[in-house]
Amino acid sequence: MSNQDESICSDVTPVINNKTNLHYYNESYDSLDSCINYRVTRDAYLLQKQLKRQSLSSTNKKHKKQHLVPISFCRLHSPTGTDSFVDAKGLLDSGGSGCLIAKHLTQNLPVITPASAAQFLTAAGTYTSQGLVHLKFSMPELHHDRLIEWQFHVAENLGAYDLIIGRDLMQELPINLHFDSLEIEWDNARIPMRPIDATSQTSYHIQDPPAVADATERIKAILDAKYEKANISKLVNEQTHLSTAHQDKLHELLSEFEDLFDGTLGKWRGRDYTIELKEDATPYHARPYPIPKAYEQTLRMEVDRLCELGVLKKTNRSEWAAPTFIIPKKDGTVRFINDFRELNKRIKRKPFPIPNIQDLLLKLEGFKYATSLDLNMGYYHIRLSPDSRKLCTIVLPWGKYEMQRLPMGLCNSPDIFQEKMSELFYDLEFVRCYIDDLLIITKGSLEHHLTKLRTVFKRLRAAGLKVNATKSFFARPELEYLGY
């Protein structure tokens, strides 16, 4: 760039707030669980776009003979402050002195025309600036909760890219390019470099944040579990830690309550749950997220299965609609999660104390027998009232469906389920409840333990709940609980 061009560019002052020009979304949460619900849903949205997920090493192996470049798939935010955004493919160019944006993305942005045009030499070619725009965007592959504001020069066309991020912004953030490992790094987050023809549909990269890994695994376990009628005899024979006489007694008890283990979805008896809206709440209706053709039929089958179970119902009577997205699984099936973030902003939350896991574990010392029970499909036991079903409507490319049961992703769900479980077993000191995980511990004989277990089974039956036998453990001297 010429000296004259540099002087022109130096008159443009980047927008910088505080130490840097980064905005963190200031979300506030009443508890860890509501934070987890929000973040798991948000991360699921990012995960669904990665249709062919690969680890960093496998990605580099696949493309080792190709020329890899530092590409990041960015999200351009609306200048009006709405939730709308546009996806853009960005090249990170440490040799370019400024940032550029393709003209077709600036139609709704006010463009400042400089006195004379500046030229930029970049890794993608030489471009002439036609003006300046103030851009708000994020780089969700690296940090999805950070909003960047910066001045970009407008170019007629950037070839294979929508944005070119120059060294001025890279130094400010800062972003580092590691050509030895073919990685892009920003504040301890890394993504792989990719071939120039990479698209967000084939090469989007996302890694689960450690802070929500445990919660993500909980939701995955619920969505992926196979719910089948238990074979009581086989189940008892697998309890090899028990003597034959003790196995016979356990078999007698489980057979008495065989209906608890029939693999069906239970219905919590009592009032349906009603979601309360804030006074100023207005309906939110999202557009459906696109479903890759390769997974559409599989998703349709999963939706039909949930309709048969009574979790979903096809409808078109609601002003509300939340988008749904998929996460492909290794076995060829899909996991789909609903994005209720907008609904969560509009409902009243009534927090209920979720037990502290560390406190629970500290109180387990000294037991002789322990049984852990996993409830079938957790939150889905609780039915929603008719008006609440309208609020929890989801939208897919081929239609709308109402959630008939309490959904995962709703900020109230952990509080609601924990409160109901705590009320159900409040007077039984030998029972520990953590949302949908039950633990029964006793210090006496096996007969004493089975007596207590019978009391728990009676209450589960009376409440209309079901137990996943394959995920439960019976009369163990030691077992894993809540991952410990």
Side-chain angles (χ1 to χ4, degrees):
M1 187 162 58
S2 67
N3 292 335
Q4 181 183 7
D5 292 335
E6 289 192 6
S7 65
I8 293 172
C9 292
S10 65
D11 291 335
V12 179
T13 304
V15 177
I16 302 176
N17 296 309
N18 300 324
K19 280 192 174 182
T20 69
N21 58 318
L22 300 180
H23 299 277
Y24 289 76
Y25 298 140
N26 294 319
E27 299 287 348
S28 60
Y29 306 100
D30 295 311
S31 72
L32 174 61
D33 288 273
S34 71
C35 173
I36 286 171
N37 267 286
Y38 171 81
R39 295 188 65 188
V40 167
T41 304
R42 179 198 61 206
D43 293 339
Y45 167 69
L46 295 173
L47 284 166
Q48 65 87 25
K49 299 180 74 175
Q50 181 192 359
L51 307 180
K52 297 179 180 179
R53 182 172 186 173
Q54 299 172 330
S55 65
L56 177 61
S57 59
S58 64
T59 300
N60 288 342
K61 285 180 181 178
K62 180 179 178 180
H63 298 300
K64 64 182 180 179
K65 294 184 179 181
Q66 295 179 273
H67 177 59
L68 302 183
V69 292
I71 292 171
S72 175
F73 295 105
C74 305
R75 181 174 300 162
L76 311 187
H77 292 252
S78 168
T80 61
T82 63
D83 293 331
S84 61
F85 57 82
V86 175
D87 291 327
K89 180 178 177 180
L91 171 69
L92 289 93
D93 182 11
S94 57
S97 59
C99 296
L100 297 164
I101 181 172
K103 186 177 181 180
H104 72 274
L105 292 175
T106 65
Q107 294 178 356
N108 297 321
L109 297 173
V111 179
I112 303 171
T113 304
S116 59
Q119 279 199 330
F120 293 86
L121 179 62
T122 74
T126 302
Y127 300 99
T128 300
S129 172
Q130 299 181 359
L132 291 163
V133 293
H134 178 70
L135 191 64
K136 295 180 181 180
F137 73 103
S138 58
M139 302 171 71
E141 292 179 294
L142 289 160
H143 291 287
H144 39 66
D145 55 356
R146 301 186 185 183
L147 184 66
I148 306 166
E149 293 190 26
W150 204 255
Q151 297 281 14
F152 275 67
H153 289 264
V154 180
E156 183 66 33
N157 189 302
L158 295 177
Y161 307 102
D162 301 306
L163 302 174
I164 294 179
I165 299 172
R167 65 171 178 265
D168 55 344
L169 180 53
M170 291 177 61
Q171 289 173 351
E172 179 63 32
L173 291 176
I175 290 178
N176 295 313
L177 304 181
H178 300 282
F179 288 97
D180 54 344
S181 59
L182 298 176
E183 293 175 283
I184 304 165
E185 180 186 8
W186 177 20
D187 198 12
N188 296 320
R190 294 191 177 213
I191 58 174
M193 296 185 187
R194 285 161 282 206
I196 191 172
D197 60 352
T199 67
S200 60
Q201 284 71 36
T202 59
S203 302
Y204 198 93
H205 181 88
I206 189 68
Q207 184 172 354
D208 292 335
V212 299
D214 290 342
T216 304
E217 289 305 314
R218 169 180 287 273
I219 288 182
K220 287 179 180 178
I222 293 172
L223 295 175
D224 296 346
K226 306 299 182 184
Y227 299 101
E228 301 172 346
K229 183 177 180 179
N231 183 326
I232 299 298
S233 297
K234 180 181 178 182
L235 180 65
V236 171
N237 289 336
E238 291 173 350
Q239 312 305 313
T240 55
H241 59 286
L242 297 176
S243 66
T244 302
H246 285 170
Q247 285 183 355
D248 290 342
K249 292 180 178 180
L250 177 61
H251 189 283
E252 181 182 349
L253 175 64
L254 297 182
S255 297
E256 180 183 345
F257 293 92
E258 190 171 7
D259 56 298
L260 292 180
F261 309 98
D262 61 8
T264 63
L265 174 60
K267 296 179 182 179
W268 202 305
R269 295 189 175 95
R271 278 180 154 188
D272 295 349
Y273 179 73
T274 298
I275 298 171
E276 295 184 48
L277 290 174
K278 295 177 181 177
E279 288 73 13
D280 59 346
T282 57
Y284 176 81
H285 195 295
R287 292 179 297 175
Y289 292 141
I291 303 297
K293 188 173 180 60
Y295 297 105
E296 182 175 328
Q297 187 58 37
T298 304
L299 178 58
R300 284 179 180 269
M301 293 172 61
E302 177 65 9
V303 169
D304 290 343
R305 184 182 76 88
L306 291 178
C307 286
E308 291 176 8
L309 287 172
V311 175
L312 291 176
K313 181 180 179 181
K314 191 170 179 60
T315 184
N316 191 27
R317 65 185 185 122
S318 177
E319 299 178 89
W320 299 75
T324 294
F325 31 84
I326 68 165
I327 305 170
K329 296 190 291 186
K330 293 180 180 179
D331 63 0
T333 61
V334 296
R335 174 190 306 121
F336 79 95
I337 297 179
N338 308 313
D339 184 357
F340 285 119
R341 285 177 293 176
E342 290 300 323
L343 176 59
N344 285 336
K345 295 175 184 178
R346 293 164 167 80
I347 65 178
K348 293 180 181 179
R349 180 160 182 250
K350 298 179 180 179
F352 186 86
I354 306 295
N356 181 283
I357 294 178
Q358 185 177 4
D359 290 343
L360 277 177
L361 297 176
L362 290 174
K363 295 175 182 177
L364 300 183
E365 186 178 0
F367 68 85
K368 186 173 181 180
Y369 290 103
T371 292
S372 66
L373 302 176
D374 181 83
L375 299 184
N376 270 12
M377 291 177 267
Y379 302 157
Y380 289 164
H381 280 89
I382 300 176
R383 290 173 296 186
L384 293 173
S385 67
D387 287 341
S388 296
R389 295 169 194 170
K390 292 180 183 179
L391 300 180
C392 295
T393 299
I394 63 172
V395 59
L396 293 164
W398 58 84
K400 293 166 65 174
Y401 297 80
E402 284 182 357
M403 295 292 304
Q404 306 295 294
R405 306 297 182 93
L406 184 68
M408 287 169 282
L410 196 68
C411 64
N412 278 345
S413 293
D415 304 296
I416 297 164
F417 205 86
Q418 182 67 50
E419 182 177 10
K420 282 186 168 289
M421 292 296 289
S422 297
E423 289 176 352
L424 186 61
F425 297 106
Y426 77 98
D427 59 336
L428 303 183
E429 76 284 352
F430 52 87
V431 177
R432 306 286 185 270
C433 301
Y434 186 86
I435 308 181
D436 57 354
D437 287 308
L438 272 177
L439 182 68
I440 299 93
I441 54 175
T442 60
K443 298 181 179 180
S445 64
L446 178 77
E447 291 77 10
H448 177 256
H449 184 76
L450 295 182
T451 298
K452 299 300 184 183
L453 200 52
R454 176 177 278 104
T455 301
V456 173
F457 286 164
K458 286 181 178 179
R459 294 200 182 186
L460 290 174
R461 175 187 279 169
L465 306 184
K466 300 289 184 174
V467 178
N468 185 356
T470 59
K471 296 287 186 178
S472 301
F473 302 92
F474 299 92
R476 298 283 183 102
E478 60 180 23
L479 49 68
E480 181 179 297
Y481 183 60
L482 301 178
Y484 294 90

